[in-house]
């Protein structure tokens, strides 16, 4: 059933009523007219990483060492209800786990591709790492190989992406293999009440948006850069239900959003509906003075950025890719639910 377009449009407009959206659903088939195979049994209830799953801020003043292990896992999961897809992941969810260190820290990485959880070789390219391929050459291993180990110093502050970088890297990133590493400056970051972690990427499949069944990866669609879905954290509209999503805040709070655009191909136009980025760290630059009161900012594929905002009034703040067909019809939408009384007289919905 092709209902996601209607659901997405309602969500962006300000409401999300599954029954109303369902009334506009219509049957659809894949381009060859034969339909898709039935949806597969899923390996995990939710492929989307909880956007509040972030390590705590740096609270140390001298360089230290961190032992980090990353395992790759192939998962069958739902892009949306009734639509399954085989994801490739770091640690079982999309995006991969955020790694958080301080500039000058040493990271000892163990990278594993277990044979029973994978069907292809993988590696890790850290945009924050000096060295061949950002570590990709040394970490390239096939399923069942002994784990690879590298050690690197986080030498420059910022927030950066990491991703799989084997020859089919575009397919692997589209299937979920990207994440972020946050290297805090020596003096740390400004304190905020909440931090959220979102990752956008395109999913190229042999089905149509909302077509029930199992979607396989479509290389032709990827070559045309024509995705079926554009999603946050691997899932279409995974964080949109009013009042029950993982991203919540109170009026008067401050929040910082770390936003990784895995791509592999499309630029994102990051916009908070009903708010602005009061302080915006372009391209993950945490050393320069942040830009102020930014409405919509381009985030190139292969980039993690960060933006902060305040919440003077209650109500949903919707995070979207302002290439709005992606938000209304392909899945690129998340909601921060803000509760409480207004802290300033800046908005009156019934004067």
């Amino acid at each position: 059933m092709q209902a996601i377009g209607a659901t997405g449009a309602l969500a962006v407009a300000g409401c999300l009523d599954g029954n109303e959206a369902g009334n506009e659903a219509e049957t659809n088939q894949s381009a060859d007219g034969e339909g898709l195979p039935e949806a597969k049994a899923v390996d995990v209830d939710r492929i989307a990483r909880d956007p509040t799953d972030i390590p705590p801020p740096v609270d140390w003043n001298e360089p230290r060492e961190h032992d980090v292990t990353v395992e790759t896992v192939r998962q069958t999961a739902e892009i949306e209800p009734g639509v399954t897809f085989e994801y490739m992941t770091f640690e079982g969810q999309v995006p991969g786990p955020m790694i958080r260190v301080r500039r000058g820290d040493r990271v000892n990485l163990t990278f594993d591709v277990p044979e029973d959880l994978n069907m292809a070789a993988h590696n890790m390219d850290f945009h924050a790492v000096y060295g061949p391929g950002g570590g990709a050459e040394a970490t390239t291993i096939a399923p069942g190989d002994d784990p690879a180990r590298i050690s690197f110093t986080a030498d420059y502050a910022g927030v950066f992406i990491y991703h799989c970088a084997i020859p089919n890297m575009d397919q692997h990133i589209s299937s979920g293999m990207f994440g972020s590493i946050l290297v805090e400056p020596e003096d740390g970051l400004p304190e905020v009440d909440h931090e959220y972690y979102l990752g956008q990427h395109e999913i190229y499949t042999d089905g149509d948006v909302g077509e029930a069944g199992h979607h396989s990866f479509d290389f032709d669609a990827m070559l045309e850069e024509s995705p079926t879905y554009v999603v946050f954290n691997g899932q279409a509209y995974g964080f949109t239900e009013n009042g029950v999503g993982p991203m919540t805040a109170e009026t008067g709070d401050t929040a910082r959003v770390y936003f990784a655009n895995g791509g592999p191909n499309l630029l994102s136009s990051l916009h908070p509906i009903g708010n602005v980025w009061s302080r915006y760290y372009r391209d993950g630059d945490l050393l320069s003075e942040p830009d102020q009161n930014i409405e919509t900012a381009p985030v190139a594929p292969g980039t993690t950025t960060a933006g902060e905002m305040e919440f003077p009034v209650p109500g949903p703040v919707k995070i979207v890719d302002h290439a709005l067909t992606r938000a209304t019809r392909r899945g690129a939408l998340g909601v921060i639910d803000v509760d409480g009384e207004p802290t300033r007289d800046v908005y009156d919905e019934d004067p």
Side-chain angles (χ1 to χ4, degrees):
M1 302 296 289
Q2 188 176 5
I4 197 163
T7 304
L10 287 165
V12 173
C15 43
L16 187 66
D17 186 328
N19 292 329
E20 186 174 354
N23 290 337
E24 299 184 18
E26 57 187 55
T27 304
N28 203 354
Q29 290 185 320
S30 58
D32 59 11
E34 297 179 358
L36 296 172
E38 291 185 2
K40 292 186 177 181
V42 298
D43 300 317
V44 61
D45 290 338
R46 243 179 114 76
I47 197 67
R49 180 171 299 280
D50 184 333
T52 66
D53 181 13
I54 300 176
V58 165
D59 61 357
W60 54 93
N61 297 318
E62 297 293 333
R64 61 171 55 175
E65 289 197 6
H66 306 266
D67 295 324
V68 176
T69 299
V70 176
E71 181 179 86
T72 61
V73 183
R74 191 179 186 99
Q75 301 269 44
T76 298
E78 289 185 319
I79 304 174
E80 61 167 315
V83 177
T84 57
F85 180 74
E86 286 191 0
Y87 293 82
M88 304 180 197
T89 74
F90 295 113
E91 291 293 318
Q93 290 185 301
V94 182
M98 177 178 280
I99 300 169
R100 189 170 198 162
V101 299
R102 177 183 180 272
R103 183 180 182 272
D105 285 359
R106 191 76 174 178
V107 177
N108 303 313
L109 173 73
T110 299
F111 179 64
D112 193 14
V113 183
E115 186 171 15
D116 59 334
L117 301 176
N118 296 275
M119 296 175 62
H122 299 298
N123 60 21
M124 294 187 76
D125 172 359
F126 288 87
H127 287 196
V129 170
Y130 288 111
E137 291 191 20
T139 57
T140 301
I141 53 176
D145 286 350
D146 290 337
R149 293 179 174 85
I150 62 172
S151 180
F152 63 88
T153 297
D155 198 50
Y156 38 92
V159 56
F160 304 90
I161 210 163
Y162 64 79
H163 60 85
C164 187
I166 68 157
N168 277 348
M169 66 183 76
D170 47 3
Q171 179 203 13
H172 287 213
I173 295 169
S174 173
S175 298
M177 300 198 80
F178 69 100
S180 293
I181 177 169
L182 169 58
V183 183
E184 291 200 26
E186 288 94 330
D187 295 334
L189 293 171
E191 184 177 350
V192 293
D193 296 301
H194 306 278
E195 291 185 312
Y196 309 116
Y197 174 34
L198 296 174
Q200 176 174 322
H201 68 117
E202 310 116 45
I203 305 178
Y204 300 90
T205 82
D206 58 351
D208 292 329
V209 176
E211 182 179 2
H214 184 74
H215 288 227
S216 297
F217 193 86
D218 190 330
F219 280 90
D220 290 335
M222 184 173 65
L223 288 168
E224 296 172 359
E225 299 185 10
S226 178
T228 310
Y229 290 93
V230 182
V231 296
F232 292 166
N233 294 28
Q235 191 170 331
Y237 305 111
F239 310 119
T240 59
E241 294 186 38
N242 293 336
V244 298
M247 294 190 290
T248 60
E250 298 289 326
T251 52
D253 287 351
T254 56
R256 182 182 300 121
V257 176
Y258 301 100
F259 183 86
N261 183 6
N265 298 312
L266 302 182
L267 181 143
S268 178
S269 299
L270 181 62
H271 171 65
I273 297 177
N275 213 312
V276 297
W277 304 112
S278 54
R279 290 166 302 281
Y280 187 76
Y281 303 86
R282 288 193 183 274
D283 303 323
D285 174 5
L286 301 179
L287 298 180
S288 303
E289 285 296 316
D291 294 336
Q292 297 184 31
N293 297 344
I294 302 301
E295 55 177 338
T296 302
V299 185
T303 300
T304 299
T305 194
E308 295 171 0
M309 67 178 76
E310 289 77 36
F311 305 108
V313 297
V317 175
K318 296 169 183 178
I319 310 298
V320 300
D321 182 339
H322 211 290
L324 286 175
T325 296
R326 302 173 192 169
T328 60
R329 304 185 188 281
R330 299 195 185 277
L333 169 71
V335 176
I336 302 173
D337 289 297
V338 182
D339 196 16
E341 296 298 320
T343 61
R344 291 188 289 138
D345 184 15
V346 294
Y347 179 70
D348 185 350
E349 65 183 11
D350 186 22

